[in-house]
Amino acid sequence: MRKARHVLLAAILLAGIAAAGCSDSRSGNPSQGAAEAAVAFTPGKPIRASFSDPRVEGMKGVAENERLRLFADDQTGAIAVLHKQSGEIWYSNPPDRDSDPLAAGVNKDLLSAQLKIDFYNHFGQLNSIDSYTDSVVHKQIKAEPIPSGVRVTYQFGKAEKSADDLPVKLSKARFEELSGKLDNTGKRALTIAYKEDAEQSVYERNDSALQGLQLERAIKALEDAGYTEEDRKKDMAELHLDQTKPEPRIFLASIEYTLDAGSLVATVPASGIHYPSDYPVYSISLLSYFGAEGKGTKGSLFVPDGSGALIHYHNGKTEYPAYQQPVYGSDLTIERTEDAAREETVRLPVFGSIREGAAFLGIIEEGAPAAVIHADVGGRLNSYNYVYPSFYVIRKDQVTLDANGQQRSVPKFQEDPMKTDFTVRYAFLTGTDASHAGMAKFYRQYLIDRGGLPGPNADRGREQDVPFYLQLIGSIDKKKRAIGIPYRALEPLTTFDQAQTIVTQALQRDIRNIRLQYAGWFNGGLNHRVPNRVSVDEAIGGSRGLIDFVSFARDKGIGFYPDASILTVHTGKGFKESKDASRTLRSVPAELYPLDLALNRRDRSRSPSYVASPRLVSGYADALLKGLGRYRSEAISLRDLADQLNSDFRKRKQIDRTESERISIEALRKMQDEGLKIMGNGGNAYALPYLTDITNAPMSGSRFKLEDEEIPFYQMVVRGFIDYTGAPYNLSAYTDVRQYVLKCLEYGSGVYFAWIYEPNHRVKDSDFNDLYAVHYAQWLDQAADVYREVNGVLRNVRNEPIVAHEKLREGAFRTVYGNGAYIIVNYNRFPIQVDGKRIEAESYATGGEAS
């Protein structure tokens, strides 16, 4: 019998044909297949209650601390948490779910489930099982106490015998031997189960008759006759037959619940996940209805879309799709979307729900790179508003095979499952902290306590002016012609000398605290070759020019951040696509085609770039550090290391997204250890401890139809620890500079522009048509005006966290900073009145202690 494979162990990798595999978990337990685990699984005995509480009917108290009490129902797997101080109770499943008038069928059953497993069948099609329908209903559940909590283990599916457990053939002698041991009922069952083949002197199994009661009688007859598995194997050998018993479709998984201070921690351990090799697990959904709220409750769901968004309970938007976004964006080795992405990236692995007087914040502590956040409102599938995470285990793609002119697609699975446990912390907030501001406050402190934000920065503490972020582009690769012969060469857009000119003019206009991100300066321009060595482009001044500019920047007090891409590379010296690019599940190099702005699609007529294998990241980081060290650079700008997480599905050398995260963190740590200030693009959560600055930080949500309100949750977490800005104003979607100024004030952001020295037409007929409005002289005076206005307000709250944010009315918001100062912005094109103050159209008002 083929062994079913055990999922997720970190050290032992057993490769197979399909996706199933096993790897070492942190518990270090040996691998165990699903069939063996099913045999070993025994339903649990009732657990002993440590305490009880009439407010939580039908559940047993299993753990408590100074703040919380944990209750469990050992028959259904449901749990509840009681917040002692407030008396608030949070349930894993809605307590009134049986009376929900809307949910029906499978949607009704899911309201009682704590886990849902999506798995593939033989054809690569998805099927689902859940802990209620496939475990609890069959009484295949076991609860057992663990320190500070309880573990609940589920067996999905029943290990029932089928016709395949009967020998496919019996010799005449064996049939007569068995029949002689049976009574008349048994003999009749055996006669129905097997038809005689007189010519071959054997009895063949009669599969068409082995259904329902007849199957049960045939199995019982063989058991009564004392027929064993050893007898079956002996008979098959004598008849020269190979009968392999199919694996039962049995899955196992556990949830471990523990109390930790004011939080519930729920973990799906890697060592507890088992599945048949023929049915690899695609994803696991954890506690889909934890804290779900029904009709009559006011509140909002919090989702981490971009800067953050709220979905109000029962907002009536059931005609729009439910919310679903992957944490840290798409894996570029899997996603092949032809259309350009129009949604913001989830940068923080958090979610939550806010009801009157209470809230919970979910923090994904393990497995975030494999996580997807889901949310929906009541009125679609059921009457509840809910938000929860799911986690990828095995990813799949389709491979097209061509045989004799006929094509067919077959599924190709990830070799090894994700090498991580899946852990979510549910933090409970009450009173004034039961808000999105309270959630941000808790998460900020959570990160501080665990080293998830950078420590105090003395230099930043002395600065009074808001940063002015300036990206200068040195050169681009462009097709040129000489006597009619085409060739490619660098087109200088901003030499080091010209950069000095731009900076000098900016300083003359009283633009302060300039942080200059210099892109396109080495290894062949903006789309540079792999950074396995550093060669400064001669077209913009070469090594001598860079040395002089570093000295100039230091003398002028300018932060200088040479920009580099590590995860996305272009063909050229030092990079071979077949060897160095990440492989997709189809075993081909992962390609990224440029965007056609006019069609909003990928342009496959142009040369692609490639996703570099994560195994190269450490070497590229070392080479960059060595190269920058020669020029005494004190900082670096990372175009993609804080922005992307990609896999490499190379056969027998797989690196999944969770491993890729660890590799990126190690590279960031190396740079920090060298004393570099690090400017990162995007700013994913795992990168935050190492960054001093973030460019292209999320300044909005994706504005999905289901969402009701954008919030600066991201900014409320990082402000005061990391300086940040959004997209460059002159390359953004803003058409009104007033709207940009107001967004900077509302979100506490620095100002950002991207420029070149040369005229815009120097970019024409190149692969960089997105640089359509970047000539510095067009923007310099406006940039100075914008900076002067933004700095004039925000310098009063420099390095202060955002402690509160509220929507006052449509188009009007109040942001409160840590020193008590507040800013009210009015995006409307008409004046409004707030607290007796008149705020003009597209304007703002300030107040509070620091105003």
Side-chain angles (χ1 to χ4, degrees):
M1 181 178 68
R2 289 178 298 172
K3 280 191 175 182
R5 301 182 185 174
H6 174 224
V7 184
L8 304 171
L9 296 172
I12 305 169
L13 303 177
L14 300 178
I17 295 175
C22 65
S23 52
D24 220 6
S25 79
R26 64 182 180 184
S27 65
N29 290 332
S31 175
Q32 183 184 34
E36 291 87 343
V39 172
F41 178 84
T42 54
K45 298 178 180 179
I47 58 175
R48 180 177 298 177
S50 299
F51 52 87
S52 62
D53 193 306
R55 292 171 292 183
V56 189
E57 293 183 5
M59 291 194 182
K60 301 174 182 178
V62 294
E64 71 174 318
N65 59 25
E66 292 181 356
R67 303 185 194 178
L68 303 174
R69 278 186 157 189
L70 175 62
F71 299 83
D73 183 337
D74 52 17
Q75 301 303 305
T76 67
I79 61 102
V81 179
L82 171 66
H83 189 272
K84 290 183 176 181
Q85 183 179 7
S86 67
E88 294 284 347
I89 303 172
W90 297 91
Y91 290 92
S92 61
N93 306 87
D96 59 349
R97 56 190 179 275
D98 291 339
S99 60
D100 181 15
L102 181 59
V106 65
N107 294 319
K108 187 87 166 183
D109 292 342
L110 285 172
L111 289 174
S112 297
Q114 296 84 46
L115 283 178
K116 182 169 78 77
I117 294 177
D118 293 329
F119 66 93
Y120 300 107
N121 63 17
H122 299 283
F123 304 103
Q125 300 166 327
L126 277 178
N127 297 264
S128 296
I129 50 179
D130 68 80
S131 60
Y132 175 73
T133 307
D134 300 278
S135 297
V136 171
V137 167
H138 302 297
K139 300 186 184 304
Q140 297 173 164
I141 180 174
K142 177 167 58 179
E144 50 195 332
I146 59 176
S148 302
V150 64
R151 178 191 299 114
V152 182
T153 303
Y154 306 90
Q155 176 176 298
F156 302 77
K158 299 183 71 176
E160 297 177 333
K161 287 190 175 182
S162 68
D164 290 318
D165 288 279
L166 305 178
V168 68
K169 288 183 181 181
L170 290 171
S171 67
K172 184 175 182 180
R174 174 70 81 179
F175 182 88
E176 291 175 349
E177 174 194 339
L178 294 172
S179 183
K181 297 178 180 180
L182 298 171
D183 59 18
N184 290 335
T185 301
K187 289 178 180 179
R188 176 173 172 76
L190 198 62
T191 302
I192 293 174
Y194 286 89
K195 297 183 297 184
E196 184 179 10
D197 183 341
E199 290 187 14
Q200 300 294 327
S201 192
V202 297
Y203 282 78
E204 293 184 349
R205 195 176 66 200
N206 183 14
D207 287 353
S208 62
L210 293 174
Q211 306 290 331
L213 185 60
Q214 292 298 340
L215 174 62
E216 293 178 11
R217 289 172 175 172
I219 292 172
K220 185 176 184 301
L222 287 177
E223 290 175 348
D224 290 346
Y227 193 76
T228 66
E229 177 65 17
E230 290 302 317
D231 292 333
R232 188 188 67 81
K233 291 180 179 178
K234 182 179 178 181
D235 287 345
M236 294 304 99
E238 289 178 355
L239 295 171
H240 305 291
L241 297 174
D242 181 16
Q243 180 183 351
T244 301
K245 289 178 63 177
E247 285 182 294
R249 203 188 76 175
I250 303 297
F251 300 76
L252 283 92
S254 301
I255 307 178
E256 294 178 354
Y257 301 100
T258 56
L259 298 181
D260 180 21
S263 300
L264 169 72
V265 179
T267 298
V268 178
S271 58
I273 304 173
H274 307 260
Y275 59 86
S277 58
D278 289 337
Y279 301 100
V281 172
Y282 172 64
S283 67
I284 294 178
S285 299
L286 174 62
L287 297 176
S288 301
Y289 296 98
F290 185 89
E293 294 293 342
K295 290 183 177 180
T297 305
K298 294 182 179 180
S300 300
L301 303 173
F302 159 62
V303 293
D305 175 18
S307 64
L310 298 178
I311 302 170
H312 299 326
Y313 292 171
H314 296 288
N315 63 13
K317 299 180 179 181
T318 53
E319 71 272 26
Y320 300 120
Y323 172 84
Q324 177 178 312
Q325 274 192 298
V327 175
Y328 305 142
S330 299
D331 184 333
L332 297 179
T333 62
I334 293 177
E335 304 296 336
R336 300 193 306 277
T337 304
E338 290 298 309
D339 295 333
R342 288 298 187 188
E343 64 182 57
E344 293 290 330
T345 299
V346 171
R347 301 292 182 188
L348 304 177
V350 293
F351 59 93
S353 183
I354 307 163
R355 66 192 189 200
E356 291 179 292
F360 80 79
L361 174 67
I363 304 170
I364 302 175
E365 294 189 326
E366 293 181 281
V372 177
I373 307 297
H374 307 256
D376 204 359
V377 295
R380 189 195 312 271
L381 303 177
N382 52 60
S383 300
Y384 299 97
N385 306 275
Y386 54 94
V387 59
Y388 68 94
S390 67
F391 300 90
Y392 292 121
V393 178
I394 294 283
R395 303 300 299 269
K396 177 193 76 80
D397 205 339
Q398 293 292 124
V399 177
T400 301
L401 302 180
D402 192 336
N404 299 323
Q406 292 186 336
Q407 290 187 341
R408 67 187 183 99
S409 293
V410 296
K412 178 68 180 293
F413 298 105
Q414 181 176 327
E415 250 182 359
D416 303 305
M418 298 290 179
K419 299 175 179 65
T420 180
D421 292 347
F422 305 124
T423 299
V424 179
R425 174 180 296 270
Y426 295 86
F428 305 107
L429 309 173
T430 59
T432 57
D433 285 336
S435 63
H436 67 268
M439 288 178 170
K441 175 185 173 183
F442 181 92
Y443 187 51
R444 181 172 61 243
Q445 190 60 49
Y446 169 90
L447 292 177
I448 292 170
D449 294 342
R450 290 160 177 77
L453 286 172
N457 186 311
D459 290 339
R460 199 159 57 235
R462 289 194 297 266
E463 294 167 350
Q464 294 300 313
D465 294 304
V466 172
F468 179 86
Y469 291 94
L470 174 59
Q471 182 188 60
L472 294 181
I473 299 165
S475 63
I476 59 173
D477 179 62
K478 187 177 179 181
K479 184 184 291 185
K480 299 184 178 182
R481 289 182 177 273
I483 58 173
I485 301 174
Y487 68 100
R488 300 197 72 88
L490 287 183
E491 178 75 29
L493 302 178
T494 312
T495 67
F496 290 120
D497 287 342
Q498 291 168 342
Q500 290 192 36
T501 299
I502 293 173
V503 170
T504 299
Q505 292 185 29
L507 291 172
Q508 290 171 350
R509 286 164 173 77
D510 203 26
I511 297 178
R512 307 171 187 173
N513 198 4
I514 297 174
R515 300 187 185 178
L516 197 156
Q517 178 189 54
Y518 209 118
W521 61 277
F522 80 115
N523 287 17
L526 185 58
N527 283 351
H528 60 76
R529 298 185 300 275
V530 293
N532 58 352
R533 56 190 292 269
V534 173
S535 176
V536 184
D537 295 330
E538 291 296 331
I540 61 171
S543 295
R544 183 70 257 172
L546 176 56
I547 291 171
D548 290 344
F549 190 81
V550 169
S551 178
F552 166 81
R554 188 177 294 114
D555 290 344
K556 297 293 185 181
I558 304 299
F560 175 57
Y561 296 79
D563 182 67
S565 176
I566 292 179
L567 304 181
T568 306
V569 298
H570 303 266
T571 52
K573 188 176 181 181
F575 183 81
K576 294 183 178 179
E577 299 96 321
S578 60
K579 178 183 176 183
D580 299 330
S582 282
R583 292 299 179 100
T584 69
L585 284 167
R586 294 170 297 140
S587 300
V588 298
E591 301 173 328
L592 298 172
Y593 283 90
L595 175 65
D596 186 322
L597 291 176
L599 299 177
N600 194 36
R601 293 181 63 83
R602 302 294 174 183
D603 186 352
R604 290 183 170 268
S605 67
R606 292 160 59 184
S607 298
S609 53
Y610 293 87
V611 177
S613 172
R615 63 187 164 82
L616 303 176
V617 167
S618 181
Y620 289 164
D622 289 340
L624 265 175
L625 290 172
K626 182 179 179 181
L628 288 173
R630 295 200 303 267
Y631 302 101
R632 296 191 300 165
S633 177
E634 299 174 348
I636 187 172
S637 168
L638 299 172
R639 199 180 307 173
D640 47 24
L641 197 58
D643 179 52
Q644 296 178 17
L645 272 185
N646 303 310
S647 305
D648 185 354
F649 295 106
R650 189 175 296 271
K651 191 173 183 180
R652 290 187 291 275
K653 294 181 180 179
Q654 173 186 292
I655 299 174
D656 68 37
R657 238 182 158 205
T658 63
E659 296 172 291
S660 183
E661 178 189 48
R662 290 192 285 271
I663 291 169
S664 293
I665 289 172
E666 183 56 35
L668 289 162
R669 185 179 292 119
K670 283 183 183 180
M671 296 178 186
Q672 187 184 65
D673 290 345
E674 289 295 318
L676 292 180
K677 295 179 180 179
I678 304 174
M679 179 183 292
N681 184 61
N684 288 338
Y686 55 84
L688 296 182
Y690 311 99
L691 303 181
T692 58
D693 299 85
I694 301 170
T695 55
N696 286 292
M699 297 291 287
S700 71
S702 304
R703 295 170 185 164
F704 295 126
K705 296 291 188 180
L706 189 69
E707 297 171 351
D708 294 292
E709 188 177 334
E710 292 178 347
I711 57 173
F713 185 91
Y714 188 91
Q715 286 72 15
M716 297 174 90
V717 172
V718 305
R719 197 172 201 280
F721 296 87
I722 308 171
D723 289 327
Y724 55 87
T725 187
Y729 168 69
N730 56 311
L731 294 178
S732 70
Y734 283 101
T735 57
D736 183 346
V737 71
R738 295 303 306 161
Q739 300 286 314
Y740 178 73
V741 168
L742 295 177
K743 178 63 77 169
C744 289
L745 297 180
E746 183 193 358
Y747 278 46
S749 166
V751 176
Y752 190 20
F753 280 81
W755 292 340
I756 63 175
Y757 183 86
E758 298 293 341
N760 290 321
H761 68 77
R762 299 290 289 272
V763 181
K764 188 178 179 182
D765 299 325
S766 74
D767 291 337
F768 302 92
N769 291 328
D770 54 324
L771 303 177
Y772 50 84
V774 286
H775 178 47
Y776 86 101
Q778 291 178 282
W779 299 101
L780 186 56
D781 289 335
Q782 187 178 54
D785 292 339
V786 169
Y787 178 74
R788 189 177 304 111
E789 184 171 11
V790 171
N791 188 46
V793 176
L794 292 184
R795 72 189 315 272
N796 296 315
V797 292
R798 183 78 177 105
N799 296 317
E800 292 290 342
I802 297 174
V803 297
H805 178 270
E806 62 177 319
K807 182 177 181 180
L808 303 174
R809 56 178 292 176
E810 198 63 41
F813 303 88
R814 187 202 322 262
T815 304
V816 183
Y817 291 87
N819 60 0
Y822 67 80
I823 303 170
I824 300 173
V825 297
N826 176 23
Y827 290 96
N828 298 299
R829 300 185 186 276
F830 52 83
I832 62 173
Q833 290 283 335
V834 177
D835 297 336
K837 289 187 177 182
R838 177 184 170 89
I839 305 176
E840 298 298 332
E842 293 187 303
S843 188
Y844 57 89
T846 61
E849 295 180 12
S851 61

